[in-house]
Amino acid sequence: YEESEPDLEKGLEMRKWVLSGILASEETYLSHLEALLLPMKPLKAAATTSQPVLTSQQIETIFFKVPELYEIHKEFYDGLFPRVQQWSHQQRVGDLFQKLASQLGVYRAFVDNYEVAMETAEKCCQANAQFAEISEVPPLYVPVTFFFTALLYKPVDRVTRSTLVLHDLLKHTPVSHPDHPLLQDALRISQNFLSSINEEITPRRQSMTVKKGEHRQLLKDSFMVELVEGARKLRHVFLFTDLFLCAKLKKQIGGKSQQYDCKWYIPLTDLSFQMVDESEAVPNIPLVPDEELDAMKIKISQIKNDIQREKRANKGSKVIERLKKKLSEQESLLLLMSPNMAFRVHNRNGKSYTFLISSDYERAEWRENIREQQKKCDFSLTSVELQMLTNSCVKLQTVHNIPLTINKEDDESPGLYGFLNVIVHSATGFKQSSNLYCTLEVDSFGYFVNKAKTRVYRDTTEPNWNEEFEIELEGSQTLRILCYEKCYNKTKLTKEDGESTDRIMGKGQVQLDPQALQDKDWQRTVISMNGVEVKLSVKFTSREFSLKRMPSRKQTGVFGVKIAIVTKRERSKVPYIVRQCVEEIERRGMEEVGIYRVSGVATDIQALKAAFDVNNKDVSVMMSEMDVNAIAGTLKLYFRELPEPLFTDELYPNFAEGIALSDPVAKESCMLNLLLSLPEPNLVTFLFLLDHLKRVAERESVNKMSLHNLATVFGPTLLRPSEKDSKIPANPTQPITMTDSWSLEVMSQVQVLLYFLQLETIPTPDSKRQSILFSTEV
């Protein structure tokens, strides 16, 4: 006892806290039982008259064992209250809990009679208006049926809760305390009782009878973000054979046991996706700035790195548990903040609910499943069934955790990091001629995002896109493809989610198997979807290879050739390729959504690269006929393939250190001096590009490209050093640390570029430099 006095003190304090909680909930429970018993006296009195509201038998059935339960808990409360008031280390309460557990037989009788009581109460409410009015207890806005059924459920619920609380109390009772064996005994009795009840209730729970003798089953469930009065809320959504239920996971004291709260539900017979009122607009979606999402991803990468390090060092599991908790918090936050695509469901009575999801694939899947089920469902649900159904969600759920990396075991694949080249060749199986295009989605940090889109192939049943895309993978395991019919006729569109939607013709997915993708060659595959087949080829390049800067084989071209050589040869201040691409983008790409972020067609980019390399005079004609994303892709490729970055290998470490300075004055002085010490062609080209990117960001409201977005795209391209990353790690089988150090480095590259993008003007102390700046208007 003596040694751990502080711990003991804390434990006993916790005991008192748990007991105070028990007292408070007992008080509420007693008030519920009182409310249930209140109409019993007038009903009994009326039963002996010539005009009974209910027969004595019906009263006995509905209120079976409720008075006894009230007495048991009143006695327990009256015994516990004074002991908690006069609290001391020696205070004993075990005998009270043991006695309570020994009276569980009354609960057994109550539970056995429970369904009959429920049916009787329901029938009496429907058949007898007097019974429905006799109790003045319920507030006016609560239907009597609901009131009775909800109260009658309380004792069923109570046993579960008492067992959980007993568990908590035992945890904070020292083994040496005289209460310990008594509480252990009470817990054993309660758990045995509970498991016997659960065995009987479970089959009823998992398939609760609906009309026509069919069974209600869970078809699909997943985590979603609901938009509630402008705020994002994490929900767990369940689709049953006859209803759509939106629940919130409640945290229990002790955190071990899960429980759901039903937020709302819609019978499938009343659910639609169409706008109830055409004028009803989709609520404004609160967008989270990309820089915040990126910061969360970096934090997640850092924590994962720390977990791996702790595991290698064989440190205590407490440190790892703490890190995992932090990881779980960050990943939940990312899941809550990322999705921006509206998925709306409407109730026939006019109420609408809006979810946010990140993938059109998932939105389509939910709609298909619901529509399919609506063809064959019938509906009936009493309020008590709703309560039992919500409680059964914990057992029925298929998605037990937020679908993120925290739940992966160590031996599971961490996913692929690097670049996936995908060629979308063609598709067959369409019944009639239409305008068709595809989009590609990959999973990243636990949720799916749209990464690329083919051009629309007009009036065909056999589109031949043959377009190649380069998609960056961040721990990805699955590639999804969706095929759409483009709707040009605005009047024919069904308004779903309040937006003009193209029709999904089919969707499918392919697992990205690290083993199969190792050999660097193209792998052909066919994805089947609702009778449509899409032919694809994929090729994976891991990050350590994709980051190499490759010097050009032929110095006569422009790609992979030092910028000073190109400008000297051209007698220009800024390379011709940079000027041409910028000019074309400013002519017709400034309002293109996702300009510089959306992949261009790889074959177009390669054609432009070849044309610039041989100094083809028709290059400007070629460009005018190409998709503007291919031109943006060519410009990015040019900077990525420079043998050394625009910011030079030599100065790169200084830029990384300069951006980390916390004193703003020192940082400004350092960053500007570094910038102005770049070789002249590098500086002039950078300032020319910088001016252009600022103009792109001025149209952010249309093109959705903020300064931060642009810095994310161009930061690594302009700053990533050539030497260090071209060394392939000796052991590429450990992607985690490689990945995370990469993430941190990228973050610093993004911050350097963002710093310069945010400067109003770049002051130049030297007249020679001043002349350079003026000459950037090439």
Side-chain angles (χ1 to χ4, degrees):
Y1 257 88
E2 297 302 309
E3 294 170 296
S4 56
E5 198 60 46
D7 282 354
L8 187 66
E9 195 72 45
K10 191 174 171 212
L12 289 163
E13 200 51 46
M14 280 299 289
R15 270 189 98 211
K16 185 184 177 185
W17 184 76
V18 173
L19 286 166
S20 305
I22 292 171
L23 274 176
S25 74
E26 277 292 312
E27 217 167 289
T28 309
Y29 181 46
L30 284 169
S31 71
H32 285 145
L33 293 177
E34 272 171 12
L36 194 52
L37 290 170
L38 206 58
M40 193 171 84
K41 276 185 188 161
L43 285 169
K44 273 189 168 174
T48 56
T49 67
S50 58
Q51 288 182 306
V53 180
L54 301 182
T55 65
S56 298
Q57 183 57 52
Q58 287 170 326
I59 296 167
E60 175 60 25
T61 306
I62 292 174
F63 297 99
F64 186 69
K65 294 295 177 194
V66 178
E68 289 86 340
L69 289 175
Y70 179 78
E71 287 311 317
I72 289 169
H73 282 271
K74 184 84 174 78
E75 188 187 342
F76 173 72
Y77 179 82
D78 290 345
L80 187 59
F81 185 80
R83 297 195 200 183
V84 175
Q85 293 296 92
Q86 298 141 25
W87 189 247
S88 75
H89 295 349
Q90 286 72 41
Q91 187 63 277
R92 297 181 184 193
V93 292
D95 56 315
L96 296 173
F97 283 92
Q98 201 177 29
K99 185 173 182 189
L100 192 62
S102 72
Q103 293 167 306
L104 279 171
V106 181
Y107 273 100
R108 154 61 66 202
F110 177 88
V111 170
D112 287 345
N113 176 70
Y114 173 69
E115 275 198 5
V116 186
M118 286 310 315
E119 282 166 23
T120 310
E122 291 270 351
K123 278 180 194 154
C124 293
C125 267
Q126 285 159 12
N128 193 320
Q130 253 185 305
F131 173 52
E133 288 163 14
I134 197 159
S135 162
E136 291 172 12
V137 183
L140 295 173
Y141 53 85
V142 178
V144 174
T145 327
F146 181 83
F147 175 73
F148 265 98
T149 49
L151 284 183
L152 273 174
Y153 186 74
K154 296 291 177 189
V156 179
D157 198 30
R158 188 72 197 162
V159 192
T160 318
R161 287 172 186 243
S162 305
T163 312
L164 291 171
V165 168
L166 208 46
H167 207 277
D168 285 338
L169 187 59
L170 193 63
K171 198 164 72 182
H172 297 295
T173 302
V175 181
S176 51
H177 196 286
D179 265 355
H180 199 272
L182 300 177
L183 292 172
Q184 229 168 1
D185 190 41
L187 182 63
R188 182 184 53 76
I189 297 169
S190 299
Q191 282 174 331
N192 288 344
F193 174 75
L194 207 53
S195 61
S196 74
I197 289 235
N198 276 345
E199 274 166 29
E200 290 163 26
I201 287 184
T202 301
R204 287 208 302 257
R205 272 184 178 176
Q206 284 179 341
S207 56
M208 301 176 87
T209 310
V210 292
K211 283 184 189 164
K212 297 182 186 162
E214 292 170 4
H215 287 299
R216 172 175 294 126
Q217 287 163 344
L218 179 66
L219 300 175
K220 181 178 171 67
D221 67 305
S222 99
F223 286 96
M224 271 196 215
V225 176
E226 189 188 4
L227 199 54
V228 183
E229 293 171 2
R232 291 166 176 263
K233 305 280 182 187
L234 196 59
R235 300 285 191 241
H236 200 148
V237 179
F238 296 85
L239 173 63
F240 289 92
T241 34
D242 62 339
L243 80 150
F244 182 82
L245 176 83
C246 175
K248 173 192 172 190
L249 192 61
K250 286 198 293 193
K251 285 281 175 280
Q252 293 291 311
I253 297 170
K256 287 291 176 219
S257 176
Q258 293 184 323
Q259 230 181 338
Y260 282 102
D261 250 357
C262 170
K263 301 308 286 184
W264 50 266
Y265 74 93
I266 305 177
L268 294 191
T269 47
D270 291 349
L271 188 150
S272 76
F273 302 111
Q274 261 59 43
M275 302 303 284
V276 177
D277 169 9
E278 283 300 323
S279 64
E280 185 189 346
V282 175
N284 279 337
I285 297 171
L287 297 180
V288 179
D290 288 333
E291 44 268 50
E292 279 184 37
L293 296 178
D294 284 354
M296 285 177 212
K297 289 179 183 179
I298 294 300
K299 213 173 267 183
I300 288 168
S301 299
Q302 281 173 317
I303 299 168
K304 281 188 194 166
N305 208 6
D306 293 344
I307 291 172
Q308 292 303 319
R309 200 173 51 242
E310 292 294 332
K311 281 182 178 168
R312 283 196 294 274
N314 287 326
K315 292 272 177 67
S317 62
K318 274 193 174 169
V319 181
I320 292 174
E321 280 313 305
R322 204 164 53 241
L323 285 168
K324 280 190 170 176
K325 189 168 178 253
K326 274 170 73 178
L327 181 60
S328 178
E329 284 165 8
Q330 281 301 317
E331 294 197 318
S332 303
L333 195 58
L334 183 64
L335 183 80
L336 184 66
M337 297 307 182
S338 306
N340 293 322
M341 187 181 284
F343 169 52
R344 305 191 85 199
V345 289
H346 310 281
N347 198 334
R348 192 182 284 166
N349 65 16
K351 185 94 179 78
S352 298
Y353 302 93
T354 303
F355 291 103
L356 300 177
I357 48 185
S358 56
S359 149
D360 207 5
Y361 193 99
E362 270 147 44
R363 180 164 69 174
E365 213 164 55
W366 276 97
R367 281 193 190 138
E368 278 166 27
N369 288 343
I370 289 170
R371 284 191 177 126
E372 191 54 40
Q373 200 49 38
Q374 281 178 325
K375 292 173 192 167
K376 51 190 177 194
C377 77
D378 204 346
F379 181 77
S380 77
L381 184 73
T382 62
S383 44
V384 70
E385 280 181 323
L386 174 64
Q387 178 77 54
M388 287 183 76
L389 189 64
T390 306
N391 283 7
S392 71
C393 284
V394 172
K395 283 191 174 175
L396 297 176
Q397 60 176 342
T398 59
V399 184
H400 289 278
N401 291 303
I402 288 167
L404 302 166
T405 54
I406 179 75
N407 309 305
K408 289 188 184 161
E409 294 306 317
D410 291 348
D411 53 0
E412 277 190 60
S413 158
L416 295 169
Y417 289 85
F419 289 91
L420 185 72
N421 285 67
V422 181
I423 301 175
V424 182
H425 295 292
S426 59
T428 53
F430 294 102
K431 300 281 184 286
Q432 61 197 64
S433 214
S434 43
N435 306 309
L436 302 162
Y437 69 93
C438 289
T439 63
L440 301 172
E441 294 181 354
V442 293
D443 54 315
S444 157
F445 286 87
Y447 58 94
F448 279 84
V449 276
N450 188 7
K451 286 285 192 175
K453 178 180 167 183
T454 67
R455 68 183 186 280
V456 178
Y457 212 99
R458 295 255 185 157
D459 298 322
T460 182
T461 54
E462 295 195 356
N464 276 300
W465 294 286
N466 290 318
E467 289 183 66
E468 184 184 336
F469 301 94
E470 184 176 74
I471 295 171
E472 190 174 352
L473 303 182
E474 295 178 287
S476 309
Q477 293 180 308
T478 309
L479 169 71
R480 287 175 168 177
I481 183 160
L482 294 104
C483 196
Y484 295 84
E485 178 190 1
K486 180 78 182 165
C487 296
Y488 290 106
N489 183 348
K490 296 289 178 229
T491 57
K492 280 188 187 169
L493 290 181
T494 52
K495 286 276 186 103
E496 287 188 359
D497 299 331
E499 64 195 33
S500 308
T501 53
D502 294 338
R503 195 154 69 95
I504 294 180
M505 304 295 283
K507 59 189 193 341
Q509 55 187 18
V510 56
Q511 292 308 115
L512 300 174
D513 175 12
Q515 267 26 68
L517 291 168
Q518 274 317 319
D519 57 7
K520 310 282 177 299
D521 281 335
W522 287 100
Q523 316 262 326
R524 282 185 80 99
T525 181
V526 175
I527 296 183
S528 298
M529 38 169 104
N530 321 352
V532 173
E533 287 194 338
V534 179
K535 293 186 176 65
L536 294 182
S537 292
V538 293
K539 181 175 75 169
F540 172 65
T541 314
S542 66
R543 191 165 267 162
E544 44 284 26
F545 288 95
S546 64
L547 292 181
K548 292 168 73 179
R549 284 185 182 272
M550 306 297 286
S552 173
R553 300 256 164 80
K554 52 179 197 304
Q555 289 297 302
T556 53
V558 291
F559 279 79
V561 178
K562 284 185 176 173
I563 197 164
I565 294 173
V566 172
T567 49
K568 190 174 178 186
R569 188 199 311 140
E570 292 178 354
R571 295 197 177 93
S572 63
K573 299 226 177 250
V574 172
Y576 175 69
I577 180 173
V578 178
R579 284 178 287 146
Q580 280 292 96
C581 290
V582 165
E583 193 177 298
E584 192 62 28
I585 288 163
E586 296 214 346
R587 187 170 73 82
R588 60 190 176 94
M590 300 297 269
E591 297 193 346
E592 182 78 16
V593 174
I595 186 71
Y596 288 118
R597 196 188 61 226
V598 172
S599 293
V601 178
T603 40
D604 288 354
I605 294 171
Q606 290 306 318
L608 271 179
K609 176 183 175 179
F612 276 114
D613 265 344
V614 298
N615 196 16
N616 187 329
K617 295 288 176 278
D618 298 328
V619 74
S620 56
V621 178
M622 276 175 74
M623 287 170 84
S624 65
E625 292 169 358
M626 273 186 187
D627 176 49
V628 75
N629 288 315
I631 294 156
T634 306
L635 184 62
K636 288 189 295 183
L637 186 68
Y638 169 72
F639 285 117
R640 200 160 94 198
E641 291 197 355
L642 283 174
E644 81 161 353
L646 201 60
F647 278 55
T648 74
D649 286 333
E650 185 191 348
L651 292 178
Y652 174 70
N654 308 49
F655 276 109
E657 284 163 22
I659 198 68
L661 293 172
S662 45
D663 175 15
V665 180
K667 184 192 286 189
E668 184 170 352
S669 163
C670 172
M671 296 299 278
L672 288 173
N673 280 319
L674 283 170
L675 184 67
L676 296 171
S677 55
L678 284 174
E680 192 166 312
N682 299 49
L683 175 67
V684 179
T685 302
F686 173 64
L687 293 174
F688 178 75
L689 180 66
L690 197 66
D691 274 351
H692 164 64
L693 295 180
K694 285 182 178 181
R695 284 193 290 277
V696 172
E698 282 167 11
R699 308 275 182 91
E700 184 195 346
S701 60
V702 184
N703 62 31
K704 308 295 182 224
M705 291 301 285
S706 62
L707 288 174
H708 181 272
N709 268 337
L710 291 163
T712 306
V713 171
F714 275 97
T717 304
L718 300 178
L719 281 117
R720 192 185 66 246
S722 46
E723 267 316 294
K724 188 157 57 74
D725 277 331
S726 64
K727 291 197 182 83
I728 295 156
N731 181 6
T733 55
Q734 292 207 324
I736 296 279
T737 44
M738 152 91 199
T739 301
D740 297 331
S741 58
W742 182 87
S743 298
L744 299 173
E745 202 170 306
V746 164
M747 201 59 175
S748 117
Q749 291 159 6
V750 170
Q751 284 168 342
V752 170
L753 183 57
L754 190 57
Y755 176 81
F756 290 119
L757 279 167
Q758 285 168 336
L759 290 181
E760 288 298 312
T761 55
I762 295 182
T764 46
D766 164 307
S767 58
K768 173 174 168 270
R769 292 287 187 207
Q770 199 70 40
S771 70
I772 290 170
L773 294 181
F774 286 123
S775 66
T776 61
E777 292 156 22
V778 194

